[in-house]
Amino acid sequence: IIGRCQPMQTTYPEKIKMLVIPVLIENLKSNNALKRRQAALALAMSGLNLSPAHVPVLLDALKDKDPDVRQHVLRALSSQASPDRKDILAAVEPFLKDDDWSARYHAIQCFSHSRQTGLATLVKIFEAEKNPYMRLQIIECLVQHDDKRATEGLLKAAENPEDWPNASQALLRRTEKESLPRLLTILAKRDDTVRLTLAELPKQPTTTAELGSALASLMKKYDWTINQRAVHAMQKLAPLMWRPETSDWLLQVEQALAERLDDAKVPLRSNDPAKRRAAVAFLAHVQTLQNALAPHSHRAADRQQQSEIDNLITANRSTIDEMLSLAGRDAELTIRRQARKAMREP
Protein backbone atom coordinates (compact mmCIF):
# COMPACT_ATOMS: atom_id res chain seq x y z
CA ILE A 1 0.00 0.00 0.00
CA ILE A 2 2.72 2.45 0.99
CA GLY A 3 4.71 1.97 -2.19
CA ARG A 4 1.70 2.44 -4.45
CA CYS A 5 -0.13 5.14 -2.53
CA GLN A 6 1.62 8.15 -4.05
CA PRO A 7 1.48 7.23 -7.77
CA MET A 8 -2.12 6.06 -7.36
CA GLN A 9 -3.16 9.53 -6.16
CA THR A 10 -3.28 10.89 -9.68
CA THR A 11 -4.27 7.66 -11.46
CA TYR A 12 -7.03 6.40 -9.16
CA PRO A 13 -7.83 9.20 -6.67
CA GLU A 14 -11.38 7.97 -5.96
CA LYS A 15 -10.22 4.43 -5.28
CA ILE A 16 -7.64 5.78 -2.87
CA LYS A 17 -10.34 7.67 -0.98
CA MET A 18 -12.86 4.86 -0.96
CA LEU A 19 -10.70 1.77 -0.47
CA VAL A 20 -7.27 2.65 0.86
CA ILE A 21 -7.69 5.63 3.19
CA PRO A 22 -10.26 3.92 5.49
CA VAL A 23 -7.91 0.96 5.95
CA LEU A 24 -5.01 3.26 6.80
CA ILE A 25 -7.11 5.25 9.24
CA GLU A 26 -8.12 2.03 10.97
CA ASN A 27 -4.51 0.79 11.09
CA LEU A 28 -3.53 4.05 12.73
CA LYS A 29 -5.46 2.81 15.80
CA SER A 30 -3.75 -0.61 15.81
CA ASN A 31 -1.89 -1.98 18.83
CA ASN A 32 0.87 -3.00 16.44
CA ALA A 33 3.49 -0.22 16.33
CA LEU A 34 4.73 -1.25 12.87
CA LYS A 35 1.21 -1.10 11.43
CA ARG A 36 0.67 2.36 12.92
CA ARG A 37 3.98 3.61 11.55
CA GLN A 38 3.27 2.27 8.06
CA ALA A 39 -0.27 3.64 8.10
CA ALA A 40 0.95 7.08 9.20
CA LEU A 41 3.58 7.14 6.43
CA ALA A 42 1.04 6.15 3.79
CA LEU A 43 -1.41 8.80 5.03
CA ALA A 44 1.33 11.39 4.86
CA MET A 45 2.00 10.36 1.25
CA SER A 46 -1.72 10.41 0.47
CA GLY A 47 -1.92 14.11 1.22
CA LEU A 48 -4.86 15.74 -0.52
CA ASN A 49 -6.86 12.52 -0.64
CA LEU A 50 -7.58 12.96 3.04
CA SER A 51 -10.71 14.78 4.19
CA PRO A 52 -11.77 16.78 7.26
CA ALA A 53 -13.53 13.68 8.56
CA HIS A 54 -10.12 12.06 9.11
CA VAL A 55 -8.74 14.91 11.20
CA PRO A 56 -9.98 13.70 14.65
CA VAL A 57 -8.17 10.37 14.24
CA LEU A 58 -5.03 12.13 13.05
CA LEU A 59 -5.12 14.52 16.00
CA ASP A 60 -5.47 11.61 18.39
CA ALA A 61 -2.49 9.91 16.73
CA LEU A 62 -0.31 12.89 17.67
CA LYS A 63 -0.27 11.35 21.16
CA ASP A 64 1.37 8.16 19.83
CA LYS A 65 4.53 7.11 21.68
CA ASP A 66 6.32 6.43 18.37
CA PRO A 67 8.06 9.64 17.12
CA ASP A 68 7.91 8.37 13.52
CA VAL A 69 4.13 8.04 13.74
CA ARG A 70 3.85 11.57 15.14
CA GLN A 71 6.09 13.00 12.42
CA HIS A 72 4.13 11.35 9.57
CA VAL A 73 0.81 12.40 11.10
CA LEU A 74 2.01 16.00 11.28
CA ARG A 75 2.81 15.83 7.59
CA ALA A 76 -0.65 14.41 6.87
CA LEU A 77 -2.28 17.15 8.93
CA SER A 78 -0.49 19.88 6.97
CA SER A 79 -2.71 19.00 3.98
CA GLN A 80 -5.79 19.64 6.11
CA ALA A 81 -4.66 22.84 7.80
CA SER A 82 -6.71 25.90 6.88
CA PRO A 83 -7.67 29.26 8.45
CA ASP A 84 -10.76 27.81 10.14
CA ARG A 85 -9.11 24.66 11.55
CA LYS A 86 -7.92 26.10 14.85
CA ASP A 87 -8.19 22.64 16.40
CA ILE A 88 -5.29 21.50 14.20
CA LEU A 89 -3.13 24.45 15.23
CA ALA A 90 -3.86 23.89 18.93
CA ALA A 91 -2.82 20.23 18.68
CA VAL A 92 0.23 20.94 16.52
CA GLU A 93 1.61 23.96 18.40
CA PRO A 94 3.63 21.94 20.98
CA PHE A 95 5.56 20.36 18.11
CA LEU A 96 6.93 23.76 17.10
CA LYS A 97 9.44 23.23 19.94
CA ASP A 98 10.03 19.53 19.31
CA ASP A 99 13.64 18.31 19.47
CA ASP A 100 13.15 16.53 16.14
CA TRP A 101 13.63 19.08 13.34
CA SER A 102 11.41 17.00 11.01
CA ALA A 103 8.50 17.30 13.43
CA ARG A 104 9.13 21.04 13.74
CA TYR A 105 9.22 21.35 9.95
CA HIS A 106 5.81 19.71 9.44
CA ALA A 107 4.33 21.67 12.34
CA ILE A 108 5.55 24.88 10.70
CA GLN A 109 3.89 23.80 7.44
CA CYS A 110 0.59 23.37 9.31
CA PHE A 111 0.78 26.94 10.58
CA SER A 112 1.81 28.27 7.17
CA HIS A 113 -1.11 26.51 5.44
CA SER A 114 -3.44 28.09 8.00
CA ARG A 115 -2.69 31.45 6.38
CA GLN A 116 -3.72 34.48 8.50
CA THR A 117 -4.71 32.33 11.47
CA GLY A 118 -1.22 30.88 11.88
CA LEU A 119 0.86 33.82 10.69
CA ALA A 120 1.41 35.53 14.05
CA THR A 121 2.75 32.29 15.54
CA LEU A 122 4.92 31.71 12.46
CA VAL A 123 6.58 35.12 12.88
CA LYS A 124 7.04 34.52 16.61
CA ILE A 125 8.69 31.10 16.29
CA PHE A 126 11.02 32.45 13.62
CA GLU A 127 12.50 34.84 16.17
CA ALA A 128 13.22 31.95 18.55
CA GLU A 129 14.40 29.36 15.99
CA LYS A 130 18.19 28.80 16.01
CA ASN A 131 18.57 26.07 13.38
CA PRO A 132 19.70 27.70 10.06
CA TYR A 133 17.84 25.14 7.95
CA MET A 134 14.61 25.67 9.89
CA ARG A 135 14.99 29.44 9.65
CA LEU A 136 15.24 29.06 5.87
CA GLN A 137 12.07 26.97 5.82
CA ILE A 138 10.19 29.61 7.81
CA ILE A 139 11.44 32.32 5.44
CA GLU A 140 10.06 30.29 2.54
CA CYS A 141 6.73 30.06 4.39
CA LEU A 142 6.61 33.78 5.19
CA VAL A 143 7.23 34.80 1.59
CA GLN A 144 3.99 33.06 0.61
CA HIS A 145 1.94 35.37 2.85
CA ASP A 146 0.76 38.64 1.33
CA ASP A 147 0.60 40.33 4.71
CA LYS A 148 2.43 43.25 6.31
CA ARG A 149 3.37 41.08 9.31
CA ALA A 150 5.16 38.62 7.02
CA THR A 151 6.99 41.47 5.27
CA GLU A 152 8.13 42.97 8.57
CA GLY A 153 9.23 39.52 9.75
CA LEU A 154 11.35 39.06 6.62
CA LEU A 155 12.86 42.54 6.96
CA LYS A 156 13.81 41.75 10.55
CA ALA A 157 15.37 38.50 9.33
CA ALA A 158 17.38 40.47 6.77
CA GLU A 159 19.00 42.38 9.64
CA ASN A 160 20.69 39.11 10.65
CA PRO A 161 23.81 38.64 8.44
CA GLU A 162 23.22 34.87 8.39
CA ASP A 163 19.65 35.28 7.13
CA TRP A 164 20.45 38.20 4.83
CA PRO A 165 20.82 36.26 1.54
CA ASN A 166 17.66 34.18 1.93
CA ALA A 167 15.47 36.89 3.48
CA SER A 168 16.50 39.57 0.99
CA GLN A 169 15.90 37.31 -2.02
CA ALA A 170 12.53 36.29 -0.60
CA LEU A 171 11.48 39.93 -0.20
CA LEU A 172 12.56 40.82 -3.73
CA ARG A 173 10.53 37.94 -5.14
CA ARG A 174 7.45 39.48 -3.54
CA THR A 175 7.77 43.26 -3.74
CA GLU A 176 11.03 44.39 -5.34
CA LYS A 177 10.36 48.14 -5.60
CA GLU A 178 9.06 48.37 -2.04
CA SER A 179 11.66 46.10 -0.46
CA LEU A 180 14.91 47.09 -2.18
CA PRO A 181 15.25 50.58 -0.61
CA ARG A 182 14.66 49.14 2.85
CA LEU A 183 17.13 46.31 2.25
CA LEU A 184 19.78 48.80 1.12
CA THR A 185 19.16 50.81 4.28
CA ILE A 186 19.60 47.69 6.42
CA LEU A 187 22.91 46.80 4.79
CA ALA A 188 24.19 50.39 4.82
CA LYS A 189 23.59 50.59 8.60
CA ARG A 190 25.88 47.66 9.32
CA ASP A 191 28.44 48.26 6.57
CA ASP A 192 29.96 51.73 6.28
CA THR A 193 31.64 50.95 2.96
CA VAL A 194 28.27 50.03 1.41
CA ARG A 195 26.81 53.26 2.82
CA LEU A 196 29.55 55.35 1.20
CA THR A 197 29.16 53.46 -2.08
CA LEU A 198 25.42 54.01 -2.23
CA ALA A 199 26.03 57.70 -1.52
CA GLU A 200 28.09 57.87 -4.73
CA LEU A 201 25.14 56.82 -6.86
CA PRO A 202 23.36 59.65 -8.74
CA LYS A 203 20.00 58.32 -7.55
CA GLN A 204 18.86 55.53 -5.27
CA PRO A 205 17.90 52.44 -7.32
CA THR A 206 14.43 50.94 -6.94
CA THR A 207 15.14 47.69 -8.83
CA THR A 208 18.02 45.24 -8.74
CA ALA A 209 18.67 45.86 -12.43
CA GLU A 210 19.18 49.56 -11.68
CA LEU A 211 21.35 48.70 -8.68
CA GLY A 212 23.63 46.40 -10.68
CA SER A 213 24.09 48.91 -13.51
CA ALA A 214 24.77 51.74 -11.05
CA LEU A 215 27.45 49.74 -9.22
CA ALA A 216 29.03 48.72 -12.53
CA SER A 217 29.22 52.38 -13.56
CA LEU A 218 31.28 53.16 -10.43
CA MET A 219 33.94 50.76 -11.71
CA LYS A 220 34.51 53.07 -14.68
CA LYS A 221 35.43 56.04 -12.50
CA TYR A 222 39.14 56.84 -12.30
CA ASP A 223 39.22 56.76 -8.54
CA TRP A 224 40.72 53.71 -6.81
CA THR A 225 38.90 54.43 -3.55
CA ILE A 226 35.51 54.52 -5.27
CA ASN A 227 36.40 51.45 -7.31
CA GLN A 228 37.44 49.51 -4.23
CA ARG A 229 34.28 50.48 -2.36
CA ALA A 230 32.17 49.47 -5.36
CA VAL A 231 33.83 46.04 -5.47
CA HIS A 232 33.15 45.56 -1.76
CA ALA A 233 29.52 46.67 -2.16
CA MET A 234 29.01 44.26 -5.05
CA GLN A 235 30.18 41.37 -2.91
CA LYS A 236 27.70 42.30 -0.17
CA LEU A 237 24.82 43.09 -2.52
CA ALA A 238 25.32 40.18 -4.93
CA PRO A 239 22.66 38.00 -3.19
CA LEU A 240 20.08 40.59 -4.25
CA MET A 241 21.05 40.42 -7.89
CA TRP A 242 21.42 36.72 -8.75
CA ARG A 243 18.53 36.63 -11.18
CA PRO A 244 18.58 36.05 -14.97
CA GLU A 245 16.53 39.19 -15.64
CA THR A 246 19.19 41.34 -13.95
CA SER A 247 22.27 39.55 -15.27
CA ASP A 248 23.32 42.49 -17.45
CA TRP A 249 25.05 43.99 -14.42
CA LEU A 250 27.45 41.05 -14.26
CA LEU A 251 28.48 41.61 -17.87
CA GLN A 252 28.87 45.35 -17.27
CA VAL A 253 31.03 44.71 -14.19
CA GLU A 254 33.38 42.38 -16.06
CA GLN A 255 33.66 44.84 -18.94
CA ALA A 256 34.45 47.71 -16.55
CA LEU A 257 36.98 45.54 -14.68
CA ALA A 258 38.79 44.75 -17.90
CA GLU A 259 39.34 48.50 -18.41
CA ARG A 260 40.31 49.30 -14.83
CA LEU A 261 42.67 46.35 -14.50
CA ASP A 262 44.62 47.69 -17.44
CA ASP A 263 44.76 51.09 -15.71
CA ALA A 264 46.03 49.47 -12.50
CA LYS A 265 49.28 48.47 -14.20
CA VAL A 266 50.51 52.07 -14.01
CA PRO A 267 50.33 52.58 -10.20
CA LEU A 268 51.60 49.05 -9.72
CA ARG A 269 54.89 50.15 -11.32
CA SER A 270 54.95 53.53 -9.56
CA ASN A 271 57.94 54.66 -7.49
CA ASP A 272 55.47 55.65 -4.78
CA PRO A 273 54.88 52.69 -2.39
CA ALA A 274 51.52 54.16 -1.31
CA LYS A 275 50.24 53.98 -4.89
CA ARG A 276 51.50 50.42 -5.26
CA ARG A 277 49.81 49.42 -1.99
CA ALA A 278 46.52 50.97 -3.15
CA ALA A 279 46.74 49.08 -6.46
CA VAL A 280 47.41 45.76 -4.73
CA ALA A 281 44.58 46.36 -2.26
CA PHE A 282 42.26 46.95 -5.21
CA LEU A 283 43.48 43.78 -6.94
CA ALA A 284 42.92 41.77 -3.76
CA HIS A 285 39.32 42.97 -3.54
CA VAL A 286 38.75 42.26 -7.21
CA GLN A 287 40.21 38.78 -6.82
CA THR A 288 37.70 38.05 -4.04
CA LEU A 289 34.87 39.46 -6.14
CA GLN A 290 35.83 37.33 -9.14
CA ASN A 291 35.86 34.19 -7.00
CA ALA A 292 32.36 35.09 -5.82
CA LEU A 293 31.00 35.92 -9.29
CA ALA A 294 32.46 33.08 -11.35
CA PRO A 295 30.10 30.30 -10.12
CA HIS A 296 27.08 32.40 -11.06
CA SER A 297 27.70 33.09 -14.74
CA HIS A 298 25.12 30.37 -15.53
CA ARG A 299 22.47 32.82 -14.30
CA ALA A 300 22.99 34.89 -17.43
CA ALA A 301 19.96 35.70 -19.55
CA ASP A 302 21.07 33.42 -22.39
CA ARG A 303 23.97 31.24 -23.56
CA GLN A 304 25.55 33.99 -25.61
CA GLN A 305 25.70 36.32 -22.62
CA GLN A 306 26.99 33.50 -20.40
CA SER A 307 29.77 32.77 -22.88
CA GLU A 308 30.72 36.45 -23.00
CA ILE A 309 30.76 36.70 -19.19
CA ASP A 310 32.81 33.49 -18.84
CA ASN A 311 35.39 34.74 -21.35
CA LEU A 312 35.72 38.08 -19.56
CA ILE A 313 36.03 36.39 -16.14
CA THR A 314 38.77 34.11 -17.47
CA ALA A 315 40.66 37.02 -19.06
CA ASN A 316 40.28 39.23 -15.99
CA ARG A 317 41.44 36.45 -13.67
CA SER A 318 44.50 35.91 -15.82
CA THR A 319 45.31 39.61 -15.69
CA ILE A 320 44.83 39.73 -11.90
CA ASP A 321 47.11 36.70 -11.40
CA GLU A 322 49.78 38.25 -13.59
CA MET A 323 49.66 41.57 -11.72
CA LEU A 324 49.62 39.99 -8.27
CA SER A 325 52.57 37.85 -9.28
CA LEU A 326 54.43 41.02 -10.24
CA ALA A 327 53.48 42.64 -6.91
CA GLY A 328 54.64 39.49 -5.13
CA ARG A 329 58.18 40.45 -6.13
CA ASP A 330 57.87 44.05 -4.98
CA ALA A 331 60.76 45.69 -3.16
CA GLU A 332 58.54 46.48 -0.18
CA LEU A 333 57.83 43.56 2.15
CA THR A 334 54.29 44.64 3.10
CA ILE A 335 53.29 44.82 -0.57
CA ARG A 336 54.78 41.38 -1.25
CA ARG A 337 52.86 39.90 1.68
CA GLN A 338 49.65 41.64 0.62
CA ALA A 339 49.93 40.32 -2.93
CA ARG A 340 50.84 36.76 -1.93
CA LYS A 341 47.96 36.60 0.54
CA ALA A 342 45.54 37.63 -2.23
CA MET A 343 46.96 34.98 -4.54
CA ARG A 344 46.44 32.25 -1.94
CA GLU A 345 42.80 33.09 -1.28
CA PRO A 346 40.38 30.48 -2.78
Side-chain angles (χ1 to χ4, degrees), residues 67-128:
D68 288 334
V69 171
R70 298 196 300 269
Q71 178 193 320
H72 297 320
V73 168
L74 284 167
R75 180 181 168 190
L77 280 169
S78 68
S79 69
Q80 298 302 302
S82 63
D84 59 340
R85 292 307 304 249
K86 294 183 180 180
D87 55 337
I88 293 180
L89 296 187
V92 165
E93 188 167 7
F95 292 94
L96 293 171
K97 299 179 181 179
D98 199 279
D99 291 336
D100 181 357
W101 69 266
S102 298
R104 292 208 307 280
Y105 170 80
H106 293 300
I108 286 167
Q109 293 300 316
C110 287
F111 275 83
S112 182
H113 294 172
S114 297
R115 309 307 298 165
Q116 307 287 33
T117 307
L119 182 56
T121 302
L122 205 58
V123 172
K124 185 178 178 180
I125 62 167
F126 180 72
E127 295 175 2

Side-chain angles (χ1 to χ4, degrees), residues 1 43 46-47 55 64 67 100-101 117 129 133 140 145 161 209 212 230 237 268 297-298 303 322 340:
I1 290 176
L43 287 167
S46 299
V55 170
D64 198 291
D100 181 357
W101 69 266
T117 307
E129 181 61 61
Y133 174 77
E140 290 301 319
H145 290 259
L237 292 166
L268 201 59
S297 65
H298 69 279
R303 288 187 178 181
E322 178 186 337
R340 288 168 184 172

Side-chain angles (χ1 to χ4, degrees), residues 183-233:
L183 288 170
L184 295 179
T185 300
I186 288 171
L187 189 57
K189 281 182 179 178
R190 69 167 180 254
D191 192 312
D192 203 46
T193 301
V194 171
R195 180 183 62 79
L196 293 170
T197 302
L198 294 175
E200 291 286 341
L201 304 181
K203 66 174 184 176
Q204 287 302 300
T206 57
T207 67
T208 51
E210 289 178 6
L211 174 62
S213 296
L215 290 173
S217 69
L218 293 181
M219 292 303 303
K220 297 178 180 178
K221 290 194 173 186
Y222 284 82
D223 186 318
W224 292 118
T225 302
I226 292 176
N227 298 155
Q228 194 163 314
R229 285 178 187 161
V231 169
H232 173 86

Side-chain angles (χ1 to χ4, degrees), residues 38-55:
Q38 290 175 335
L41 174 57
L43 287 167
M45 294 169 67
S46 299
L48 298 177
N49 287 306
L50 297 172
S51 74
H54 302 128
V55 170

